Amino acid sequence: MRKLKAIVQPGCATCAHRVVGYPHIAAEWTPDLQFVVTVQSDEEQGGVERLQEAGLANLAWIRGAALEEGDVVVPHATKGEVVVLLRESDTHHALFMTNRCNSYCLMCSQPPTSTDDSWLVEEAIAALRHLRRSPDVLGLTGGEPLLLGLGLRRVLEAIAQHHPTTRVEVLTNGRLFANARISEQILAGLAQPVRWLVPLYGHADFVHDFVVQAHGAFDETLAGLLALQAHGQEVQLRVVLIGPVLQVLPELVGFVGRNLPFVREVALMGCEPIGFALANRELCEVNLAEWGDVLEHAVRVLQRHAIPHLLMNMPLCVLPHPLRSLARQSISDWKNVYAAECESCIARKDCSGLFAWHEKGWKPAPLRPIEANEVLA
Ligand code: SF4
């Protein structure tokens, strides 16, 4: 969650607002949305207050935050901060749906809590109303969004209503789709294409259930994947490369090729060094450069089964040359940094770089700047 320090007008409601610059109030204002107006001077602040006195109750001023016009934010006047829900200029857009989860993955970057946070559904719907430009892709994350049931369906319908051209990606463990009532409730007759991003960590229950720390999860996830297929949904399988998963990776992708050939693609992903991954460091920290042969083997298996595949969260320099063209710049803008080693690297503009918190955790492998005379892919 991206939080910025700000001076917010006292009394400003703690709910979704669209950011507008003071000079653009007249062009942007509409009675059915909430606005925070970025002001640069006492004169502009006074101008906003005069508009309020004239009857415009749905705006408030804000100062001192690095906000951009079109951002969708939740101001917290008493805390002196603002939470950015969506940033128009970002490459990756995502809404956080819940912190609850029915799994407890060894490397979870967002350790779950049991608190009722169903209000996030209303916040997400409000954020969608306040977003002025439709992104190409919008992610819904958690926690486990399927726990929201009809709440998730309402968010999907709000996206279809306000952003019909946007492609939706939902990150889910898929387990609750094993329940026919829930899969019907959420999937039947969806108005908009949705891609379901579903993690699979093993070719057998003993691996997957161990990684997600939930007995029965493997069977439920497989049933969920079949329910997605039955509803004609697009699936990206996600495989986070921690130690126990790398040990069975060729078997896992072979299992996918034989049993789940309908998946749209398989994403092999570097681990985010935060949350439970830090607590389970001995299982989650790997030097990916030492697993190059296994990655190449897994990719050959996927090629043999004609399953499209990609690599995420992996710097180019840690990968064997033949795999570099599969790597994508996948780390969310606000989490993404580069290291000192990257300054002299010619591949930086094409490289995913690192998670911002790698210094408290680890790098995927020692970095080695790529030089001009080196073959990139
Ligand atoms: S040195 Fe930095 S920019 Fe270059 S490939 Fe490695 S991580 Fe990417």
Side-chain angles (χ1 to χ4, degrees), residues 85-264:
L85 299 179
L86 293 165
R87 167 151 285 181
E88 197 172 271
S89 63
D90 276 350
T91 311
H92 304 98
H93 303 269
L95 283 171
F96 183 68
M97 301 301 301
T98 179
N99 206 46
R100 293 180 298 131
C101 192
N102 51 350
S103 293
Y104 217 62
C105 300
L106 293 171
M107 64 300 200
C108 180
S109 61
Q110 182 75 38
T113 50
S114 55
T115 316
D116 178 9
D117 55 8
S118 50
W119 54 271
L120 283 167
V121 168
E122 305 309 324
E123 185 178 88
I125 292 171
L128 291 163
R129 282 202 313 115
H130 282 77
L131 185 63
R132 65 180 181 177
R133 299 220 174 95
S134 296
D136 292 339
V137 180
L138 176 67
L140 302 181
T141 72
E144 174 46 54
L146 298 191
L147 288 170
L148 299 169
L150 272 179
L152 175 60
R153 179 68 189 228
R154 287 180 56 222
V155 173
L156 293 171
E157 286 172 356
I159 298 171
Q161 179 186 352
H162 298 291
H163 305 284
T165 59
T166 293
R167 195 182 85 217
V168 188
E169 294 187 340
V170 182
L171 181 57
T172 169
N173 61 40
R175 293 172 56 192
L176 287 173
F177 280 149
N179 179 318
R181 182 184 57 79
I182 294 175
S183 59
E184 191 68 16
Q185 197 176 57
I186 296 175
L187 298 175
L190 281 175
Q192 203 165 0
V194 177
R195 176 179 286 192
W196 302 86
L197 316 177
V198 183
L200 190 67
Y201 297 127
H203 58 300
D205 55 2
F206 71 92
V207 191
H208 183 85
D209 289 5
F210 170 66
V211 172
V212 306
Q213 295 285 289
H215 181 63
F218 181 72
D219 290 344
E220 289 172 355
T221 293
L222 290 185
L225 289 168
L226 295 176
L228 284 166
Q229 183 203 18
H231 283 87
Q233 298 294 303
E234 194 173 291
V235 174
Q236 180 194 74
L237 284 183
R238 298 199 140 191
V239 182
V240 179
L241 301 175
I242 63 171
V245 177
L246 281 160
Q247 284 165 16
V248 299
L249 188 62
E251 291 87 347
L252 165 55
V253 293
F255 175 87
V256 172
R258 287 189 306 279
N259 299 293
L260 305 169
F262 55 85
V263 301
R264 172 69 186 79

Side-chain angles (χ1 to χ4, degrees), residues 315-317 338-339 341-342 345 347-348 351-354 367-370:
L316 292 172
C317 60
Y338 292 84
E341 294 94 317
C342 306
C345 178
R348 178 177 163 140
C351 177
S352 73
L354 301 162
L367 304 185
R368 191 184 53 77
I370 295 173

Side-chain angles (χ1 to χ4, degrees), residues 106-111 240-242 269-281 284-286 313 331 335 337 353-365:
L106 293 171
M107 64 300 200
C108 180
S109 61
Q110 182 75 38
V240 179
L241 301 175
I242 63 171
M269 306 176 64
C271 176
E272 193 170 344
I274 195 171
F276 284 161
L278 295 177
N280 297 308
R281 189 167 184 153
C284 299
E285 181 178 5
V286 292
N313 311 346
I331 299 177
K335 299 178 178 180
V337 296
L354 301 162
F355 285 102
W357 23 85
H358 74 273
E359 283 174 2
K360 289 187 187 151
W362 57 84
K363 292 176 182 155

